[in-house]
Structure formats: C-alpha cells, structure tokens
Amino acid sequence: GAVVSQHPSRVICKSGTSVKIECRSLDFQATTMFWYRQFPKQSLMLMATSNEGSKATYEQGVEKDKFLINHASLTLSTLTVTSAHPEDSSFYICSARDLGGKTSNEKLFFGSGTQLSVL
Amino acid sequence: QKEVEQNSGPLSVPEGAIASLNCTYSDRGSQSFFWYRQYSGKSPELIMSIYSNGDKEDGRFTAQLNKASQYVSLLIRDSQPSDSATYLCAVGSTLGRLYFGRGTQLTVWP
C-alpha cells in the first residue's frame, strides 16, 4: 500500500531554535497533505492543510507565522516550527491524500509522527 | 475545529466480550466517518469507515451510523487483548480534512 514517510521521528531542541519536519509520499503524488498535532492523552488536532504550489490553509487558532508550511512538490511537504518553546513540545503527524487511480478510492495515509521536545 | 465527542473511558472489558465505543459530532452536514486505532507514540491506523446510515461490518468490527442523531459507534466483538489501544473517532470534512475526537482508551484483560 501507499506509504508516507515522516522525518525525523524524534527531535530535541533548545528553546528559540527552529525545527523542520518533512513529510513525503513515497509512491503516489499528493496535492494535499495535512499536519496534525497531538498532546499527551489528547486527540489529534488538525493544524493546517498543505496545498502543493499554493499557500497552506490554517485552522482557526493556529499561528501561520509560527508553523511555516511549504509544499513545493507533489511528494513533499515540510512543517517548520519557528522559535520553538517548551509549550510546542508535542507529537506532530502528517497525512497525505492519495486521490487514487481510475479503479481505486481516495485514501488518506499517515506518517509515523515526530515527537518534538523543546528544552 | 468541528467538535467530535467520545465517551471518556477508559473502557475495560474481559477477553471475549463486546466493546462498545461511542462518538457524537456537531456538524450535521458531515458525510464521512472513521474509526482509527492508535497505540501510544504511533500514528493512527484506519479500522473502519462508514458513509451511510446503518451498520457496516468487517470481521469482528461493526460501525454504526445515525446521521439524524449525529452519532457513530464501533462495536468490537470477541475482544482480544491485542485490541487494547486508544480508539479515535474522526469526522471527514472537505478536501480530505479529518477532525478527531479525544479518543477512548480500551483495555481488554485476559
């Protein structure tokens, strides 16, 4: 089946630094990708919709200047957490939408997630 | 964010029992509904999807949808210890966006 690769799986950084997380669709083209954040024992919260070749669409309450999203190709979206602070520590997960071929249905595939810890 | 509510749990059932997980959603126009299983520190795994009112069965899993009541449920028959996980209800929106509930932690004890 389709695979979405997310990298890195874990990152520890100092407060004030920026962290980039990559999400790649390995065997399909994804015009749309999604970024979620999950705090411990909380649900996945949709942060933004990443659109290839255009600006990302952010959910209400998500700071677009803090969470920079770039979707420069049909297989890669990146999320950059700028000037990270301890409260940004969370599990970040991407997903990619495979619109499928003529005989398959649209499917959504998740990356393996990135655990960000900001000291 | 669209609101998706799940019964708080945690839910604990003996092996072989039926586990019942419930979910309500706020957007009456929602058309697609999903149940995911998630293990700690891992990404969610799709268990079931349902789009029409009624029941949908897949092996030991049955999803039930009632759009009039804005209610979705998941039944797990013959529960196994390996079913122990957090179950997330998700409601689909436009362009593939998903809105998740908080999740119900299920423990199946031998």
Side-chain angles (χ1 to χ4, degrees):
Chain A
V3 176
V4 173
S5 174
Q6 187 173 340
H7 177 80
S9 59
R10 182 177 295 273
V11 58
I12 301 173
C13 69
K14 293 182 178 180
S15 184
T17 61
S18 294
V19 175
K20 180 184 284 188
I21 303 170
E22 293 187 348
C23 182
R24 293 179 184 274
S25 56
L26 296 186
D27 55 1
F28 65 97
Q29 293 182 332
T31 56
T32 305
M33 294 185 177
F34 306 92
W35 288 96
Y36 293 84
R37 177 170 56 183
Q38 186 176 35
F39 293 107
K41 298 188 177 182
Q42 300 292 316
S43 186
L44 276 77
M45 187 193 79
L46 178 64
M47 300 175 67
T49 303
S50 174
N51 305 297
E52 187 269 335
S54 65
K55 293 182 179 180
T57 305
Y58 290 82
E59 294 294 308
Q60 189 174 4
V62 178
E63 300 175 60
K64 62 180 181 181
D65 294 332
K66 178 158 184 71
F67 299 100
L68 300 180
I69 292 173
N70 184 279
H71 194 154
S73 79
L74 287 171
T75 58
L76 174 64
S77 175
T78 61
L79 169 69
T80 301
V81 183
T82 62
S83 186
H85 288 90
E87 57 265 31
D88 298 322
S89 298
S90 185
F91 190 54
Y92 292 85
I93 307 176
C94 70
S95 68
R97 192 176 178 216
D98 180 3
L99 296 178
K102 293 181 180 178
T103 58
S104 64
N105 297 320
E106 173 186 328
K107 294 181 181 177
L108 200 63
F109 297 94
F110 282 86
S112 56
T114 298
Q115 183 64 51
L116 171 63
S117 300
V118 184
L119 304 178
Chain B
Q1 295 266 345
K2 299 179 188 296
E3 292 187 6
V4 181
E5 299 288 339
Q6 292 185 243
N7 51 338
S8 56
L11 178 64
S12 182
V13 301
E15 183 174 358
I18 296 175
S20 177
L21 306 166
N22 304 312
C23 173
T24 59
Y25 57 95
S26 62
D27 185 359
R28 186 170 287 278
S30 299
Q31 298 295 322
S32 56
F33 308 87
F34 307 87
W35 283 99
Y36 284 84
R37 177 172 61 197
Q38 186 181 30
Y39 297 104
S40 181
K42 303 296 183 182
S43 59
E45 171 194 8
L46 181 65
I47 300 294
M48 293 280 287
S49 59
I50 187 166
Y51 304 94
S52 304
N53 280 329
D55 295 358
K56 179 181 178 182
E57 185 175 318
D58 183 2
R60 296 186 296 110
F61 298 94
T62 299
Q64 299 174 316
L65 173 61
N66 184 327
K67 290 184 179 179
S69 301
Q70 296 174 236
Y71 173 88
V72 192
S73 68
L74 179 70
L75 299 178
I76 306 175
R77 291 183 302 280
D78 188 23
S79 296
Q80 302 296 310
S82 57
D83 294 327
S84 299
T86 297
Y87 288 80
L88 302 172
C89 172
V91 176
S93 184
T94 55
L95 301 176
R97 291 177 297 177
L98 289 179
Y99 294 94
F100 287 85
R102 183 182 293 259
T104 300
Q105 185 176 344
L106 171 66
T107 300
V108 181
W109 44 277

